[in-house]
Amino acid sequence: MNILLLLAVLGVAVNKVEGQGLIPPPPLITDQPYFDSTMMTNHTAHVGREAELHCRVHSIRNRTVSWMRGRDLRILAVGRYTYTTDLRYEALHQQGTNQWTLRIKSVQPRDQGIYDCQINIKPVKAFTIYLRVLEPKGEILGAPDLYIQKESIINLTCILHGLPEPPAYVLWYHENKSISYSSSRGGVSIIMERGPTTISSLLLSRARLQDTGEYICVPSNLNAVRVMLHVLDGEEPAAAKNSTLPLSHHPPLPGEHPGAVHANASSQSLNSDRESRGCGNSHNYCHNVYVLLCTSIVVCCVLRICAFGWKVVSL
């Protein structure tokens, strides 16, 4: 009986210990204010939406909390009072709580950056929060111009980034006329993948010359994006026709205009011809110097012999 009672007591003690592990530790008992250790240092907001930056301080007593913007070191708020002409900023604090909030309405890309929650003591204590601003944008792969051969499959892919939530729908238009499964053209397929990045693909079978024109991708929660499609009947794009094949027959380097390669090749050929002519002139010059040098040596020898003979005769 005693053994069972002992086991029961131990079980209760273990349960209490395990239960305590699920409860956050109580605030420290101190006269100095300090920041809550569970606060997040990063916050994400979307353009046009609202952002709230929270700061929790324990043992605040009669001290005040202020907010400062990192990019220009401007004081935005002190306590519940806002000190900026930008009406999008608002300081919030409920009396008797330990949380101070900086609210930013209609967030803009310029709002991205560091914000400091400061406790006004000496030295000043600060907790830094980084606000990341996501700006929605859309694009069609290959824009602004796409070239495709007749009878091939048309695949237009519209990618939507940074949306607060996936769009309810994505519509496609060709020359301002709606495209759908029931379009008179036929052979139409639309595939949509929703998520943080939403992708809508328009597939048209057996491209026709009549498919040439502007295509528009219109999400429900973002501005439209466009692409110009050119269906070719075996010919090359005008840009390719106007290009000149380099004499060296090698493709231009990335960022290098084909005409520049042609000019380089011509320049190299001209330099090569000049160098060939220069080598010939140099050879003739060297030959002339050699003849002149030999002649000079012979003349010197003759003069020395003559001078020696003159001395012998004088003796």
Side-chain angles (χ1 to χ4, degrees):
M1 186 66 179
N2 293 335
I3 295 176
L4 293 176
L5 182 60
L6 179 60
L7 291 175
V9 172
L10 290 175
V12 172
V14 170
N15 289 335
K16 287 185 177 180
V17 172
E18 290 179 350
Q20 289 177 358
L22 300 176
I23 301 174
L28 298 175
I29 300 176
T30 176
D31 292 335
Q32 292 298 317
Y34 63 95
F35 295 106
D36 194 302
S37 60
T38 62
M39 289 192 300
M40 304 295 293
T41 57
N42 293 286
H43 186 82
T44 300
H46 292 82
V47 170
R49 297 299 181 93
E50 187 177 275
E52 288 189 352
L53 308 181
H54 301 292
C55 180
R56 292 187 296 276
V57 183
H58 298 288
S59 301
I60 186 68
R61 297 183 182 274
N62 60 346
R63 287 96 169 185
T64 58
V65 171
S66 60
W67 287 95
M68 186 180 72
R69 187 170 56 199
R71 64 180 168 88
D72 55 4
L73 302 182
R74 178 183 292 275
I75 298 295
L76 301 175
V78 177
R80 292 185 296 170
Y81 300 97
T82 305
Y83 292 90
T84 175
T85 56
D86 191 339
L87 300 180
R88 298 179 305 118
Y89 291 91
E90 182 182 5
L92 304 175
H93 174 65
Q94 186 175 352
Q95 193 69 27
T97 66
N98 64 346
Q99 178 167 290
W100 283 259
T101 300
L102 178 66
R103 176 183 292 169
I104 308 174
K105 302 175 183 178
S106 186
V107 172
Q108 300 300 316
R110 67 177 183 273
D111 296 324
Q112 178 167 292
I114 290 175
Y115 294 82
D116 283 337
C117 172
Q118 299 181 341
I119 306 173
N120 296 330
I121 59 174
K122 294 183 179 181
V124 174
K125 289 186 177 181
F127 181 83
T128 300
I129 301 175
Y130 182 81
L131 176 63
R132 181 188 178 198
V133 178
L134 297 181
E135 184 174 7
K137 61 179 181 179
E139 61 174 335
I140 296 178
L141 297 182
D145 291 278
L146 275 176
Y147 297 89
I148 192 170
Q149 288 294 335
K150 182 181 177 182
E151 297 296 327
S152 59
I153 297 177
I154 300 174
N155 183 357
L156 302 180
T157 302
C158 181
I159 303 180
L160 310 173
H161 309 272
L163 296 174
E165 59 273 331
Y169 58 82
V170 175
L171 302 179
W172 284 92
Y173 292 86
H174 175 224
E175 296 295 332
N176 295 323
K177 295 180 180 179
S178 178
I179 303 174
S180 64
Y181 299 103
S182 58
S183 297
S184 58
R185 182 201 183 280
V188 177
S189 298
I190 299 177
I191 302 173
M192 186 167 173
E193 299 177 10
R194 289 182 173 88
T197 297
T198 297
I199 302 175
S200 177
S201 298
L202 173 64
L203 304 176
L204 303 175
S205 62
R206 303 188 63 182
R208 311 167 188 175
L209 296 179
Q210 295 83 352
D211 293 327
T212 294
E214 184 182 55
Y215 286 79
I216 308 175
C217 170
V218 185
S220 61
N221 54 353
L222 188 63
N223 294 332
V225 288
R226 307 165 187 269
V227 66
M228 180 62 71
L229 178 70
H230 306 269
V231 179
L232 309 176
D233 192 6
E235 74 272 14
E236 295 181 355
K241 288 182 179 180
N242 294 334
S243 63
T244 304
L245 182 65
L247 293 179
S248 58
H249 299 287
H250 64 79
L253 298 174
E256 185 177 23
H257 192 276
V261 178
H262 187 283
N264 290 339
S266 301
S267 176
Q268 290 175 3
S269 177
L270 180 60
N271 291 336
S272 178
D273 292 340
R274 289 178 177 174
E275 288 175 4
S276 298
R277 292 195 296 269
C279 288
N281 294 337
S282 178
H283 177 72
N284 294 334
Y285 175 78
C286 293
H287 177 72
N288 294 335
V289 171
Y290 177 77
V291 172
L292 180 60
L293 182 60
C294 292
T295 304
S296 301
I297 293 174
V298 171
V299 171
C300 289
C301 291
V302 171
L303 292 176
R304 284 181 174 273
I305 293 172
C306 293
F308 180 77
W310 176 258
K311 288 182 179 180
V312 171
V313 172
S314 299
L315 293 174

